Amino acid sequence: MSGLMLDDPDGTLEMLRDSVAGFAERFDGPEGFRARRDAGQDLDRTVWSAMAEAGWLGLHLPEEIGGAGLGVAEQAVLSEALGRALISEPLAQLSVFAGVLLAQGDGAERDRLADGLIAGTAIVSPAWQGRDGAPAPLVARVHGEDTVLTGALCHVSAPVSATDFVVLAEAGGDWMLLSVPAGAGGLSVDAAPTLDGAQLGQLTFRDVKVPGNAVLARGNSARAALEAAVATTRLALAAEMAGIAAEAIDRTVAYTRDRVQFGKAIASFQVVQHRLVDMWSDAEFAQAAVVNAVETLADGPGKAADLAILAAKARAGDAAVTITRRAIHLHGAMGFTDACDIGLFMKRAVALNATLGQPEELRLLFVAREGVAA
Amino acid sequence: MEAQQDWNALSDDAFREIFREWVDANCPSGLRFMRKQRPVFDEVAEWYHLLAEKGWLSPVWPQEYGGMGLDAGKHIVYVEEWARLGCPRIPDHGIGLTGPLLIQYGTPEQKAFFLPKILSGEHVWCQGYSEPNAGSDLASLRTSAVADGDGFIVNGQKIWTTLAHCANWILLLTRTSSDGPKRQNGITVMLVDMTTPGVTVRPIPNLRQETDFCEVFFDNVHVPSANVVGEVDQGWALAKAVLGHERIFLGAPSRPEYAIRRLERLARDRGAFDDAGFVARYAKLRLDLYDLGSAFERFARVLRAGGTLGPDVSVLKIFCSELYQRITEEMLTVAGEDARYWDDLPTGEGDVDAMNLYLDSRAPAIFGGSNEIQRGVLAKGVLGLPG
């Protein structure tokens, strides 16, 4: 048994898996990872455009704004397949997170961003976190029709390639989500390389002025949009990490079957076998946790779905990180080289695991939400 | 016994409702959530006979033999509700082992004679498989059965025979030949009356200082040929085949679930939830249990869809038994100095049997194929690793 075992009555999920497999033949994941890293890029625009052509970027956006209107199961299957293929463009942030924010917003500016996001012509990057990862709204002051923004936001994906940012700001205790064009006056970008061969940025706003129609959502709907984006993206990340976990164990099984020492394949040694079994077991549990989250969320949002998503992200994160780490060890000295792909899977796993909450933090959120301590 | 309806025609929820309501109303309250994992027959006889009368003693036997005829999906519901309501485990080797074996491989005479006596409780069965030198390596068993006139003469010893001291029949694996190229050949399944001269049972006190397993000695015990199941020398395949979808229950979350509720009770009483270190460790255990539920569902779904389980189901047994251990280990940490005591620990919400569970949790990682054996099964059967 392997893969995300989800009901697929009309074959959509199978088509998505095939679509990623075909894509990976054109754009090899590990090669693309190294090329982007070595070029110091934050995004491979060629790959990104091809992903738009494949119809993946607006997968979960509602049809009213030009998306495919598909559900969480489709997103999970897509993300899982991308994880397996190590196609490491920041789809979780630039498509899923940004897409959920836009889906919850309204107005002409929202429509323009959604069109660009789906087509791959606009790179819409969410910016809302402080250094510690928590929401850190900019200070917004209202000047007539305009809004003036001050402050700094961290962990922003594709900070150099972005054409637009969706930023979190606060005025008088009210949260708002605003559209800010890259290159706006007073906005500066500091990019730093990431473990997974891309760049993240810190945005500094010094009296950045945006017009009134830049507001995409405010008040409770801004808060709700952000919460929904975090939850949906966590699930996509969980699926992607479940894919990394499954691929890493497959590759390690293949390697240890081929690698001969003492006249035997090292996979014939019991100590190696039991380690491989434990890795495989962790990957199975990650898949099961993701399926559970997809199905629980499909039954509707609420406490049960919140718990299921927290569990899935924690489980898949632990699985992907520890499996890839153990996989490097089982690849021996070869595993310590940059030429060996397994190390790239580990780096990607660590980076995704650190995104939107590490396992322990998520587990603590889970038990607090469940409330058995009282 | 009441006539049975077609339970499989009901939805799982409808069946759950009916089953739960009757069980909750009828299972004696004094037998719920027993401290003892394996009570002897007399301790739970009342519940056994109530189930038999209702026709619900034997969930998976076909209705023509007096069972409920549940498919795997409904059987999962049965087992889940049983655990949820804290019903005691009954001596169930007749229901779960001998019965299914006879239904599949027994002669008409064997079925007609033995099956009703299992349901009535007249025959209480135990399982004579393991031997002192044939545990994980079961196929090396040596208890010999030598043909003699109209039967066999059996000599040898079995061990770890659960509840043999309250059983009157034993399902025995014997060595009838050692000529074949493989040790698995030459093993025969026999039905042995434990009142036959030459059978001696000696209980073995376990880690919990209870007796739920025994040694059973065979000294020139005569077994009639009519009590051989299937063909002589062909018993290994039978013994293997009888374990079908039931393998999923070795990984059912009910034991760790019970243990974590007791851990929570103890932790609330001792203020452990104010300790960040405890909360982090508890959260890991809690999520492991939650995810075990998701993984269990992954296999249950296969069964509900009419599929069969592969060797991969062993993953549940390993995870479940190791999680049970980790939870009980944490209980002792929370107990602090109180972990020096044998007795249950009092809390504001009732006693917590921390030491009892700690000791009990050593067993599931060993029985039913130790976790190392299970890992070997997964390595070969799922990952296809070379031998």
Side-chain angles (χ1 to χ4, degrees):
Chain A
M1 204 183 301
S2 67
L4 297 179
M5 303 215 314
L6 289 158
D7 286 342
D8 187 19
D10 56 4
T12 311
L13 302 183
E14 199 48 47
M15 273 169 49
L16 270 170
R17 287 192 187 98
D18 291 345
S19 162
V20 177
F23 191 93
E25 281 174 23
R26 286 164 57 213
F27 301 98
D28 181 80
E31 271 177 36
F33 182 119
R34 290 191 187 89
R36 188 186 60 227
R37 179 192 65 189
D38 297 346
Q41 290 179 326
D42 61 350
L43 184 73
D44 185 328
R45 287 298 296 263
T46 311
V47 175
W48 193 254
S49 298
M51 290 167 98
E53 271 169 43
W56 298 343
L57 303 186
L59 197 69
H60 60 284
L61 281 175
E63 287 170 285
E64 307 89 83
I65 56 172
L70 294 171
V72 284
E74 288 79 6
Q75 185 62 56
V77 165
L78 174 64
S79 295
E80 198 260 359
L82 293 174
R84 276 183 189 264
L86 198 67
I87 294 170
S88 58
E89 303 306 328
L91 181 116
Q93 288 82 7
L94 302 182
S95 161
V96 180
F97 201 108
V100 174
L101 292 183
L102 294 179
Q104 308 268 326
D106 55 26
E109 176 64 4
R110 189 282 302 264
D111 293 349
R112 182 186 75 80
L113 292 176
D115 288 348
L117 187 163
I118 293 163
T121 51
I123 306 298
V124 183
S125 186
W128 58 282
Q129 290 173 292
R131 192 75 201 181
D132 66 357
L138 300 169
V139 174
R141 284 169 292 130
V142 178
H143 276 280
E145 291 291 291
D146 296 338
T147 305
V148 180
L149 303 169
T150 310
L153 294 166
C154 296
H155 313 304
V156 179
S157 292
V160 180
S161 299
T163 60
D164 301 86
F165 298 103
V166 175
V167 307
L168 177 66
E170 187 173 11
D174 239 8
W175 279 13
M176 57 178 89
L177 292 167
L178 301 112
S179 167
V180 178
L187 170 60
S188 59
V189 176
D190 290 308
T194 61
L195 192 65
D196 54 349
Q199 306 263 318
L200 286 176
Q202 174 169 318
L203 309 184
T204 306
F205 294 75
R206 294 187 185 83
D207 294 331
V208 175
K209 192 188 287 183
V210 292
N213 66 6
V215 178
L216 303 168
R218 64 168 81 237
N220 286 339
S221 55
R223 218 170 262 274
L226 197 62
E227 275 175 21
V230 168
T232 310
T233 308
R234 278 182 179 149
L235 181 46
L237 291 167
E240 190 168 349
M241 291 190 288
I244 290 173
E247 179 69 16
I249 179 67
D250 285 354
R251 284 175 180 243
T252 309
V253 165
Y255 179 80
T256 54
R257 288 172 62 99
D258 280 354
R259 173 72 177 162
V260 173
Q261 288 287 273
F262 307 104
K264 289 159 85 174
I266 63 171
S268 64
F269 299 121
Q270 195 175 48
V271 67
V272 174
Q273 292 189 346
H274 286 196
R275 286 179 187 181
L276 289 168
V277 165
D278 287 344
M279 291 159 67
W280 168 84
S281 163
D282 288 348
E284 286 292 294
F285 269 68
Q287 300 270 345
V290 170
V291 168
N292 176 61
V294 166
E295 294 183 344
T296 309
L297 184 58
D299 288 340
K303 183 175 173 182
D306 293 349
L307 293 177
I309 290 170
L310 291 169
K313 170 82 168 43
R315 173 68 48 186
D318 269 340
V321 169
T322 63
I323 290 169
T324 51
R325 209 161 56 206
R326 288 174 281 174
I328 287 174
H329 183 77
L330 289 173
H331 279 72
M334 186 60 73
F336 197 66
T337 65
D338 185 52
C340 183
D341 290 347
I342 201 69
L344 303 184
F345 283 91
M346 186 271 270
K347 290 173 176 174
R348 180 68 169 160
V350 169
L352 296 181
N353 184 48
T355 306
L356 300 183
Q358 296 218 19
E360 180 152 301
E361 179 187 348
L362 301 172
R363 288 193 295 263
L364 293 174
L365 287 171
F366 181 107
V367 298
R369 185 94 168 86
E370 205 176 36
V372 295
Chain B
M1 187 191 304
E2 291 180 21
Q4 299 296 304
Q5 65 183 91
D6 179 4
W7 300 111
N8 298 327
L10 298 176
S11 72
D12 280 5
D13 287 345
F15 173 68
R16 191 183 294 277
E17 190 72 17
I18 294 171
F19 185 72
R20 176 194 297 169
E21 194 186 336
W22 185 86
V23 171
D24 200 19
N26 288 278
C27 182
S29 56
L31 298 181
R32 302 286 186 93
F33 294 105
M34 282 179 87
R35 198 174 190 284
K36 216 172 178 181
Q37 284 301 300
R38 300 301 303 249
V40 296
F41 190 85
D42 288 346
E43 292 171 299
V44 292
E46 181 189 1
W47 177 227
Y48 193 100
H49 293 308
L50 274 169
L51 283 163
E53 225 169 276
K54 183 73 179 167
W56 288 5
L57 181 61
S58 182
V60 294
W61 295 10
Q63 295 191 355
E64 57 177 306
Y65 298 114
M68 294 176 83
L70 301 187
D71 62 24
K74 293 290 185 296
H75 190 202
I76 290 171
V77 173
Y78 180 107
V79 172
E80 282 175 349
E81 289 307 311
W82 186 285
R84 200 191 314 276
L85 294 166
C87 302
R89 182 144 181 203
I90 51 178
D92 51 13
H93 289 111
I95 296 155
L97 183 68
T98 307
L101 191 77
L102 292 180
I103 288 167
Q104 211 172 338
Y105 301 105
T107 62
E109 293 75 20
Q110 286 172 340
K111 290 185 218 183
F113 179 76
F114 288 105
L115 296 180
K117 291 183 168 57
I118 291 172
L119 294 176
S120 69
E122 184 181 335
H123 286 179
V124 179
W125 284 84
C126 61
Q127 176 182 14
Y129 281 22
S130 292
E131 297 181 6
N133 292 308
S136 293
D137 181 16
L138 184 60
S140 68
L141 64 90
R142 291 193 310 203
T143 293
S144 71
V146 178
D148 177 61
D150 66 341
F152 293 83
I153 299 297
V154 175
N155 280 287
Q157 181 193 350
K158 295 291 172 178
I159 197 167
W160 320 130
T161 315
T162 300
L163 296 184
H165 59 311
C166 76
N168 47 23
W169 281 79
I170 183 166
L171 185 78
L172 198 66
L173 292 188
T174 60
R175 169 73 54 197
T176 38
S177 155
S178 37
D179 301 340
K182 289 182 69 182
R183 296 175 308 154
Q184 284 82 354
N185 299 333
I187 290 173
T188 300
V189 179
M190 294 180 179
L191 312 165
V192 181
D193 181 346
M194 293 173 76
T195 62
T196 315
V199 178
T200 310
V201 175
R202 198 157 70 196
I204 306 169
N206 66 20
L207 208 57
R208 305 192 316 163
Q209 293 171 234
E210 288 172 351
T211 42
D212 57 26
F213 52 30
C214 305
E215 293 174 287
V216 186
F217 299 90
F218 299 86
D219 180 15
N220 290 317
V221 174
H222 178 258
V223 178
S225 297
N227 287 8
V228 169
V229 185
E231 300 293 317
V232 171
D233 289 346
Q234 305 299 316
W236 183 254
L238 270 62
K240 286 278 189 189
V242 74
L243 277 181
H245 76 261
E246 285 83 356
R247 290 177 301 142
I248 195 173
F249 297 124
L250 285 172
S254 53
R255 293 305 296 156
E257 169 94 39
Y258 176 82
I260 207 165
R261 297 302 162 227
R262 291 297 177 274
L263 170 63
E264 289 163 0
R265 185 185 281 186
L266 187 65
R268 282 191 292 264
D269 190 75
R270 305 296 166 104
F273 281 108
D274 298 330
D275 166 11
F278 169 76
V279 175
R281 296 193 302 274
Y282 164 77
K284 179 84 176 75
L285 298 169
R286 174 68 193 98
L287 272 288
D288 282 346
L289 177 63
Y290 180 89
D291 291 338
L292 174 60
S294 301
F296 184 85
E297 177 59 25
R298 190 172 166 89
F299 291 95
R301 177 167 306 187
V302 171
L303 293 175
R304 279 198 292 269
T308 52
L309 296 176
D312 50 355
V313 73
S314 288
V315 71
L316 294 180
K317 192 265 185 185
I318 296 172
F319 191 94
C320 184
S321 56
E322 294 178 357
L323 173 58
Y324 182 30
Q325 296 184 336
R326 288 187 287 117
I327 293 170
T328 62
E329 285 150 21
E330 185 60 33
M331 291 177 102
L332 296 204
T333 302
V334 173
E337 194 91 2
D338 274 350
R340 301 170 70 185
Y341 293 93
W342 179 259
D343 288 342
D344 295 352
L345 302 175
T347 77
E349 304 169 56
D351 289 356
V352 169
D353 55 337
M355 191 57 71
N356 181 46
L357 294 171
Y358 179 75
L359 297 175
D360 181 61
S361 71
R362 301 296 103 197
I366 303 167
F367 66 56
S370 75
N371 287 5
E372 287 63 38
I373 292 292
Q374 305 285 349
R375 284 183 170 88
V377 166
L378 292 167
K380 305 275 187 311
V382 178
L383 299 182
L385 302 181

